[in-house]
């Protein structure tokens, strides 16, 4: 066998180090290594297991970005645009009619938000904390353990910077909820804050500042996705803790476990405190919108899991199809169906709940707890079984392994 | 074997170069490891940020020292450097052993077999005359300067390396590894983006090939390294094997440490050549050390005690991996006797543990948010290992007692998925964990595995 020249020209030192037996020359060793590799490469054409084409993981990322994430943010930014223009219209002419219109656009935007809230990647750090931190610190009676400035104090003093993290609980959709539904018991009284109150101008300004802040954030994130992040996201299809797939799955599970299961149901139901906390439901002041928000979020997470397009019932590659692919290799349980069934069970359990979760918590908390239990089961399926099947590390840490 | 042949074996001496090279490279590797650990910010992240640390049974007193933890790492690194150059060797290797082991005992979360390997290897080295040749000590002190050292001192390192490989091989002889290619079948496909190998790693036959090749490699490599005719080939295998594991898995410095360590199997010729290069580079006179003298321990008593401790050390090392046989139940499920046994990369175990606190006085119950007390890494390790779950339950008991619950009861809803099996309940959810004291006794508070993994 004629050896390639480069190998023969290994540095003398290397050759000397390993060829100290005179009877084992370098050539023999190289022949050996080559044989090992030739045998290896020959067998690769040989027998193989079940016909498994390499699953195209980049297709998942493309489907997520083009058919789910970007359309969802596009829709969200449209609704926040309407929300802001309706708020401006209301502040210029605070009538009951304008208030009703504004409440409706608040609802549409809040529902649209449930479809983007799970996506932190490519967004502004912690943006969802600016949009949806609840319970909101409305007035001196509000839940306010860190003694932050309340919405009413902000309005009174006109001294606030909504870009500061400390103001998170006085802005976003929960703050609007208070401004549109919680200021007074009835609409006439509520309108008077915007018309005849001594601070009425401050109220109007605060309202439009809130909607503007939401709209600006929504557009910033959308633009970041469409301008540059989409390609970065899709091309980062490699392996490891910093790949798009791993990070997205971690974000997705975190969202499901913390913001959906715990935030929307668990905390109000008192799962973590022992006593139910009815004031901690999402959209508390609307008295009847919390269930709609929860259902929208549950649908959005299940659709993401199945790769269902944002604006149609078509599906593309996603976690469920990837699990199906891996399932054919491992003859294990049909995990994708288990998870989908569990999503449906949670939805069924939630069906009997009052439209207003606060009322539900106060009248019969056990129904909230049983919904929580159904949600909880999918945490195990996703965080334990799915993550294991996907070979994804659930911690972000980059420590050594064994 | 009779006592005469043992006695005469202990008297055989051999060229000291392999031991000196081993000392230099080992020390150097440890220095690099410490610098790397600090540079990655892991001291802060693993030992200073967490508010709670998991302890080994009986070593609860070993805790990180806040900001002073940096000092332990500094001492460890400096002593490793001194070991490498052979300056005040005995003191340095003792300090290294103590500081390194202290670091490992601070938090059980970071347990790795190869950290344990470093710990016991440095313990062994305390009793070896690794400073007799080509060291600062030998340069300054003619009385210890020796070209020959007892053969057993070099053989003991070979034996320890052999144990690591061979027992790792034995542990692979189980049905999950050999006949289901688990957990490789989970791990390898996720490495799809590695050039050339990426597509191959999707194939099931690749998983089986890797599993069987890995087991055969571990079981045979000590012998292939011992036999002169196969030694070079074996060393090439060592390099290929460890480079491959480095590419596939996040295992830090370990592959390099093993590759460098395996050099000790070679004849003194290679090591003398390496020392010659070093001498040239640093303008050291190697011939100063080539005095043909045999190393003798300062006192016969020290010699006897050293040999005795090393012998005892190896008896223990042979027995410890088999201690799992004292427990009923599936080892992979209960993990009774799992650690310190060279069970490397054997399991993919993912868990979830949801703790419930009950106040028996008013019946109030609520669940614990683990992220309030543990880092994500700690939570991950805790969720899948029973001794962690129990220790954490006791920590919660104390915490809620301080919060005003007189006698809190702690229950856990836990699930574990092992080697691709569907997740199943792990700890008996009806047992109040505060009633159970951590011990080495069989864990009757776990639910049965309801499956079988055959083999060792």
């Amino acid at each position: 066998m004629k050896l390639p020249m480069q190998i023969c020209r290994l540095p003398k030192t290397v050759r000397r180090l390993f060829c100290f037996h005179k009877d084992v020359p370098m050539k023999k060793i190289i022949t050996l290594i080559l044989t090992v590799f030739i045998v290896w490469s020959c067998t690769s054409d040989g027998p193989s297991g079940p016909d498994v084409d390499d699953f195209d993981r980049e297709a998942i990322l493309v489907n997520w970005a083009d058919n789910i994430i970007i359309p969802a943010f596009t829709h969200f930014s449209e609704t926040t645009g309407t929300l802001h223009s309706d708020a401006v219209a209301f502040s210029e002419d605070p009538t009951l009619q304008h208030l009703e219109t504004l409440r409706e656009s608040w609802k549409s935007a809040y529902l649209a938000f449930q479809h983007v809230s799970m996506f932190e990647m490519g967004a502004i750090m912690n943006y969802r904390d600016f949009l949806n931190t609840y319970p909101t610190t409305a007035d001196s009676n509000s839940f306010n353990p860190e003694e932050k400035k309340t919405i009413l104090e902000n309005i009174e003093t006109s001294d606030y910077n909504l870009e500061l993290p400390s103001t998170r609980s006085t802005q976003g959709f929960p703050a609007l909820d208070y401004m549109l539904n919680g200021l007074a018991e009835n609409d006439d009284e509520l309108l008077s804050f915007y018309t005849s109150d001594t601070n009425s101008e401050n109220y109007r300004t605060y309202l439009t500042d809130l909607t503007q802040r939401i709209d600006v954030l929504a557009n910033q994130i959308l633009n970041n996705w469409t301008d540059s992040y989409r390609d970065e996201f899709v091309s980062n299809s490699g392996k490891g803790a910093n790949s798009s797939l791993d990070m997205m799955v971690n974000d997705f599970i975190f969202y499901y476990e913390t913001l959906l299961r715990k935030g929307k149901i668990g905390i109000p139901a008192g799962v973590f405190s022992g006593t139910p906390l009815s004031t901690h439901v999402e959209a508390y002041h609307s008295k009847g919108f919390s269930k709609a928000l929860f259902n929208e979020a549950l649908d959005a997470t299940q659709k993401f899991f199945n790769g269902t397009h944002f604006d149609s019932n078509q599906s593309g590659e996603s976690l469920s199809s990837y699990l199906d692919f891996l399932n054919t290799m491992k003859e294990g349980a049909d995990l994708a169906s288990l998870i989908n069934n569990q999503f449906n069970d949670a939805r069924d359990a939630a069906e009997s709940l009052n439209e207003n979760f606060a009322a539900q918590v106060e009248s019969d908390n056990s129904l909230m707890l049983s919904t929580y239990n159904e949600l909880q089961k999918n945490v195990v399926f996703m965080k334990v079984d799915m993550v294991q099947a996907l070979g994804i590390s659930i911690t972000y840490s980059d420590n050594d392994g064994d | 074997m009779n006592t005469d042949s043992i006695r005469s074996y202990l008297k055989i001496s051999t060229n000291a170069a392999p031991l000196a090279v081993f000392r230099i490279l080992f020390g150097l590797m440890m220095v690099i490891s410490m610098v790397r650990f600090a540079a990655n910010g892991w001291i802060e992240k693993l030992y200073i940020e967490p508010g709670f640390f998991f302890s080994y049974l009986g070593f609860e007193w070993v805790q990180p020292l806040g900001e002073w933890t940096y000092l332990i790492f500094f001492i460890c690194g400096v002593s490793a450097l001194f070991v490498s150059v052979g300056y005040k060797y005995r003191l340095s290797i003792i300090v290294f052993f103590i500081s390194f082991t202290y670091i490992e005992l601070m938090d059980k979360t970071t347990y790795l077999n190869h950290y344990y390997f470093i710990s016991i290897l440095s313990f062994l080295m305390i009793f070896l005359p690794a400073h007799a040749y080509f060291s600062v000590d030998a340069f300054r002190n003619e009385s210890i300067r020796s070209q020959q050292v007892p053969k057993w001192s070099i053989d003991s390192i070979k034996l320890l390396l052999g144990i690591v490989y061979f027992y790792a091989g034995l542990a692979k002889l189980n049905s999950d590894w050999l006949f289901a290619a688990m957990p490789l079948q989970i791990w390898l496909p996720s490495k799809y983006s590695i050039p050339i190998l990426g597509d191959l790693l999707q194939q099931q036959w690749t998983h089986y090939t890797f599993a069987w090749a890995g087991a055969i490699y571990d079981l045979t490599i000590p012998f292939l390294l011992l036999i002169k005719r196969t030694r070079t080939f074996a060393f090439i295998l060592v390099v290929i094997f460890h480079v491959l594991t480095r590419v596939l898995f996040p295992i830090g410095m370990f592959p390099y440490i093993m590759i460098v360590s395996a050099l000790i199997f070679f004849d003194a010729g290679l090591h003398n050549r390496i020392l010659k290069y070093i001498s040239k580079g640093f303008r050291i006179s190697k011939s100063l050390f080539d005095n043909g003298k045999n190393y003798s321990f300062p006192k016969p008593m020290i010699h006897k005690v050293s040999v005795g401790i090393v012998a005892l050390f190896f008896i223990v090392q042979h027995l410890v991996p088999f201690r799992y046989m004292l427990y009923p139940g599936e080892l992979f499920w209960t993990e009774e006797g799992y650690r310190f046994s060279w069970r490397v990369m054997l399991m993919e175990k993912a868990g979830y543990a949801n703790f419930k606190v009950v106040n028996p006085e008013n019946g109030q119950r609520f669940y614990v948010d683990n992220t309030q007390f543990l880092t994500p890494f700690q939570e991950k390790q805790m969720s899948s290992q029973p001794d962690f779950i129990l220790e954490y339950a006791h920590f919660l008991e104390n915490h809620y007692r301080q919060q005003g619950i007189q006698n809190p009861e702690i229950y856990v809803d836990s699930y574990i998925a092992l080697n691709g099996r569907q997740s199943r309940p792990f700890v008996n959810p009806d047992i109040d964990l505060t009633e159970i004291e951590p011990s080495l006794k069989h864990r009757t508070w776990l639910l049965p595995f309801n499956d079988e993994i055959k083999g060792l």
Side-chain angles (χ1 to χ4, degrees):
Chain A
M1 185 188 293
K2 209 169 174 223
L3 293 167
M5 285 311 286
Q6 304 93 294
I7 297 179
C8 297
R9 283 196 192 137
L10 276 174
K12 234 182 186 175
T13 48
V14 176
R15 272 197 281 170
R16 265 210 216 135
L17 268 178
F18 293 110
C19 303
F20 40 87
H21 302 300
K22 275 189 187 134
D23 52 335
V24 188
M26 198 65 186
K27 256 190 184 174
K28 237 183 182 172
I29 294 171
I30 289 168
T31 315
L32 216 143
I33 300 175
L34 283 179
T35 321
V36 170
F37 274 102
I38 287 165
V39 170
W40 191 348
S41 53
C42 283
T43 46
S44 68
D45 303 327
S48 63
D51 187 24
V52 279
D53 293 320
D54 186 13
F55 191 89
D56 185 3
R57 289 156 183 90
E58 199 178 307
I60 300 180
L61 303 178
V62 170
N63 185 43
W64 283 350
D66 294 350
N67 300 321
I68 300 177
I69 300 173
I70 293 177
F73 272 114
T74 307
H75 175 65
F76 179 54
S77 86
E78 284 162 12
T79 61
T80 60
T82 311
L83 175 68
H84 182 54
S85 58
D86 286 351
V88 170
F90 172 76
S91 77
E92 284 166 358
D93 182 13
T95 60
L96 182 63
Q97 199 194 344
H98 277 141
L99 177 65
E100 297 286 355
T101 316
L102 179 55
R103 279 174 177 161
E104 283 311 309
S105 47
W106 168 75
K107 283 185 178 178
S108 333
Y110 212 167
L111 287 172
F113 170 73
Q114 305 300 325
H115 288 266
V116 296
S117 178
M118 69 184 100
F119 306 122
E120 275 258 61
M121 296 173 72
I124 293 127
M125 267 288 269
N126 304 319
Y127 82 99
R128 61 185 169 207
D129 296 340
F130 285 105
L131 295 181
N132 199 23
T133 294
Y134 60 92
T136 193
T137 47
D139 50 40
S140 51
N141 298 322
S142 302
F143 173 78
N144 192 2
E146 288 162 56
E147 298 183 5
K148 298 217 168 102
K149 265 179 82 179
T150 64
I151 293 178
L152 290 186
E153 283 166 348
N154 282 349
I155 292 172
E156 245 165 64
T157 58
S158 287
D159 178 25
Y160 50 85
N161 177 358
L162 296 180
E163 295 192 6
L164 295 177
S166 59
T167 63
R168 277 178 195 157
S169 60
T170 57
Q171 61 176 302
F173 292 102
L176 280 175
D177 180 30
Y178 176 71
M179 298 289 284
L180 301 179
N181 303 306
L183 276 174
E185 287 298 317
N186 59 59
D187 290 349
D188 283 344
E189 247 179 86
L190 192 136
L191 280 172
S192 71
F193 282 99
Y194 297 95
T195 51
S196 51
D197 191 273
T198 44
N199 277 329
S200 63
E201 200 187 328
N202 288 4
Y203 276 90
R204 293 198 299 269
T205 310
Y206 197 66
L207 183 73
T208 50
D209 281 352
L210 291 179
T211 53
Q212 186 176 25
R213 169 88 174 130
I214 294 174
D215 193 36
V216 166
L217 277 171
N219 284 312
Q220 276 180 353
I221 300 166
L222 175 63
N223 291 339
N224 186 37
W225 266 97
T226 49
D227 288 351
S228 58
Y229 191 70
R230 186 260 173 212
D231 293 338
E232 193 187 313
F233 176 77
V234 167
S235 61
N236 183 14
S237 62
K239 69 175 180 78
N242 296 321
S243 69
S244 292
L245 187 74
D246 281 32
M247 282 167 66
M248 186 55 92
V249 170
N250 271 303
D251 280 4
F252 174 69
I253 292 174
F254 176 83
Y255 172 77
Y256 179 85
E257 188 181 9
T258 310
L259 295 163
L260 183 76
R261 175 200 67 132
K262 184 180 171 187
K264 293 184 201 295
I265 304 282
I267 290 177
V271 171
F272 300 93
S273 55
T275 39
L277 301 163
S278 63
T279 56
H280 286 51
V281 301
E282 199 172 18
Y284 170 72
H285 300 283
S286 73
K287 299 195 167 60
F289 196 47
S290 39
K291 183 178 172 182
L293 293 173
F294 165 76
N295 278 333
E296 196 75 8
L298 189 65
D299 289 348
T301 44
Q302 188 173 10
K303 280 175 90 176
F304 179 78
F305 174 75
N306 289 316
T308 313
H309 295 185
F310 174 74
D311 37 16
S312 76
N313 282 328
Q314 256 186 300
S315 297
E317 300 293 359
S318 189
L319 296 173
S320 61
S321 58
Y322 191 16
L323 284 175
D324 283 339
F325 159 76
L326 293 166
N327 200 30
T328 59
M329 293 170 60
K330 273 177 222 146
E331 297 150 19
D334 186 359
L335 194 52
S337 322
L338 283 175
I339 292 175
N340 267 317
N341 290 340
Q342 197 52 48
F343 268 119
N344 297 336
D345 287 351
R347 191 176 295 105
D348 291 347
E351 198 144 296
S352 57
L353 297 177
N354 190 309
E355 293 296 326
N356 180 1
F357 282 172
Q360 184 65 57
V361 165
E362 281 158 11
S363 63
D364 183 1
N365 192 39
S366 68
L367 287 178
M368 284 290 275
L369 290 174
S370 56
T371 305
Y372 177 84
N373 286 341
E374 296 303 328
L375 290 170
Q376 172 68 28
K377 287 179 193 164
N378 239 356
V379 174
V380 176
F381 285 142
M382 293 199 285
K383 207 174 177 178
V384 178
D385 296 73
M386 179 173 89
V387 160
Q388 177 167 99
L390 299 178
I392 285 174
S393 154
I394 195 71
T395 55
Y396 316 97
S397 81
D398 49 353
N399 307 95
D400 292 344
D402 235 345
Chain B
M1 189 148 34
N2 53 43
T3 46
D4 277 351
S5 64
I6 293 177
R7 215 162 277 164
S8 58
Y9 167 73
L10 291 176
K11 280 189 186 132
I12 303 174
S13 55
T14 182
N15 192 290
L19 193 58
V21 168
F22 185 83
R23 186 203 74 229
I24 294 169
L25 294 178
F26 172 80
L28 211 58
M29 285 285 164
M30 290 307 109
V31 173
I32 296 171
S33 297
M34 289 300 141
V35 171
R36 172 176 174 268
F37 206 92
N40 281 336
W42 289 346
I43 302 177
E44 175 81 22
K45 199 168 136 195
L46 297 175
Y47 296 112
I48 298 179
E49 275 175 15
F52 168 69
F53 300 94
F54 290 94
S55 299
Y56 292 92
L57 204 62
F59 289 95
E60 292 78 9
W61 51 275
V62 182
Q63 291 286 329
L65 308 176
E67 296 293 324
W68 293 100
T69 312
Y70 281 102
L71 185 67
I72 308 176
F73 278 85
F74 182 74
I75 291 171
C76 193
V78 170
S79 60
L81 186 67
F82 284 1
V83 167
S84 185
V85 299
Y87 174 70
K88 296 206 184 291
Y89 170 77
R90 291 254 190 229
L91 179 66
S92 300
I93 190 74
I94 289 171
V95 169
F96 177 82
F97 164 70
I98 292 174
S99 56
F100 190 90
T101 308
Y102 188 93
I103 291 168
E104 294 323 311
L105 291 175
M106 288 192 302
D107 190 4
K108 200 161 58 172
T109 313
T110 56
Y111 171 81
L112 290 181
N113 282 295
H114 67 254
Y115 290 154
Y116 172 61
F117 169 68
I118 300 297
S119 244
I120 59 171
L121 175 61
S122 60
F123 174 79
L124 175 65
M125 284 172 72
I126 293 174
F127 306 97
L128 308 183
H131 57 323
Y133 187 70
F134 212 76
S135 70
V136 175
D137 288 348
F139 177 77
R140 305 200 318 175
N141 183 348
E142 210 188 332
S143 67
I144 56 166
R145 194 184 303 155
S146 328
Q147 196 183 2
Q148 305 277 322
V149 290
K151 187 167 181 295
W152 65 261
S153 60
I154 294 179
D155 286 349
S156 64
I157 292 177
K158 293 181 189 172
L159 180 58
L160 184 58
L161 286 167
I163 288 176
V164 173
Y165 278 119
F166 192 72
Y167 278 78
L170 286 181
K172 290 185 173 71
L173 301 182
N174 68 71
S175 52
D176 267 21
W177 182 270
L178 295 175
F179 303 117
M182 277 294 179
L184 289 179
Q185 208 174 144
I186 294 174
W187 288 337
L188 296 180
S190 68
K191 313 291 171 192
Y192 48 85
S193 55
I194 293 175
I196 307 164
L197 276 178
D199 287 335
L200 217 54
L201 295 176
Q202 306 305 313
Q203 310 292 326
Q204 202 163 32
W205 66 263
T206 311
H207 311 152
Y208 280 96
T209 310
F210 274 45
W212 283 77
I216 293 170
Y217 167 85
D218 279 342
L219 288 171
T220 55
I221 202 72
F223 305 103
L224 294 178
L225 282 168
L226 280 173
I227 300 165
K228 191 167 184 174
R229 277 201 324 164
T230 53
R231 192 170 295 148
T232 310
F233 169 68
F235 187 73
I236 292 167
L237 283 185
V238 169
V239 174
I240 293 176
F241 178 83
H242 286 293
V243 166
L244 205 57
T245 57
R246 178 76 189 87
V247 170
L248 291 175
F249 307 110
I251 46 180
M253 293 291 296
F254 186 58
Y256 309 118
I257 293 169
M258 287 310 269
I259 290 172
V260 163
S261 299
L263 285 174
I264 196 154
F265 284 92
F266 284 106
D267 294 333
L270 170 71
H271 300 95
N272 277 310
R273 215 161 332 191
I274 294 174
L275 293 179
K276 231 175 255 166
Y277 287 126
I278 299 177
S279 309
K280 247 187 226 160
F282 290 90
R283 295 169 190 250
I284 301 163
S285 156
K286 181 176 179 292
S287 53
L288 173 77
F289 300 99
D290 293 332
N291 57 6
K293 232 179 77 182
N294 278 341
Y295 179 81
S296 60
F297 284 80
K299 283 177 193 152
M301 196 57 197
I302 294 181
H303 182 212
K304 268 187 191 159
V305 169
S306 296
V307 170
I309 291 177
V310 169
L312 193 67
F313 169 81
F314 279 110
I315 292 170
V316 171
Q317 284 306 320
H318 273 99
L319 293 177
V320 163
F322 286 112
R323 75 188 186 286
Y324 76 95
M325 291 182 163
L326 300 172
Y327 296 99
E330 172 52 50
L331 170 67
F332 285 13
W333 185 250
T334 66
E335 298 200 25
E336 291 164 332
Y338 191 86
R339 280 183 217 113
F340 316 119
S341 305
W342 316 118
R343 300 178 195 282
V344 189
M345 311 209 79
L346 273 187
M347 292 197 302
E348 167 60 40
K349 209 174 183 186
Y352 183 80
N354 199 13
F355 288 82
K356 184 170 71 184
V357 182
V358 176
N359 183 347
E361 280 166 35
N362 57 11
Q364 197 188 45
R365 53 189 58 209
F366 58 91
Y367 285 92
V368 175
D369 179 5
N370 293 330
T371 57
Q372 199 188 330
F373 306 106
L374 305 177
T375 65
F377 183 43
Q378 287 179 315
E379 188 183 2
K380 182 191 170 189
Q381 298 289 60
M382 181 276 293
S383 320
S384 66
Q385 298 176 65
D387 51 334
F388 282 68
I389 290 178
L390 188 61
E391 192 178 347
Y392 182 54
H394 281 271
F395 163 78
L396 291 174
E397 181 191 12
N398 280 333
H399 174 81
Y400 287 106
R401 191 169 279 156
Q402 281 163 16
Q403 300 281 302
I405 303 179
Q406 285 270 310
N407 225 335
E409 293 169 8
I410 312 274
Y411 301 87
V412 65
D413 259 329
S414 57
Y415 294 86
I416 281 194
L418 173 61
N419 281 352
R421 291 172 181 82
Q422 198 191 320
S423 60
R424 345 182 350 93
F426 187 45
V427 176
N428 187 335
D430 302 322
I431 288 184
D432 174 11
L433 292 176
T434 61
E435 300 287 317
I436 293 163
E437 283 309 308
S439 74
L440 291 175
K441 282 187 203 137
H442 175 52
R443 293 170 186 136
T444 51
W445 39 281
L446 298 180
L447 293 168
F449 178 44
N450 286 346
D451 197 350
E452 200 189 353
I453 301 172
K454 293 192 179 68
L456 286 172

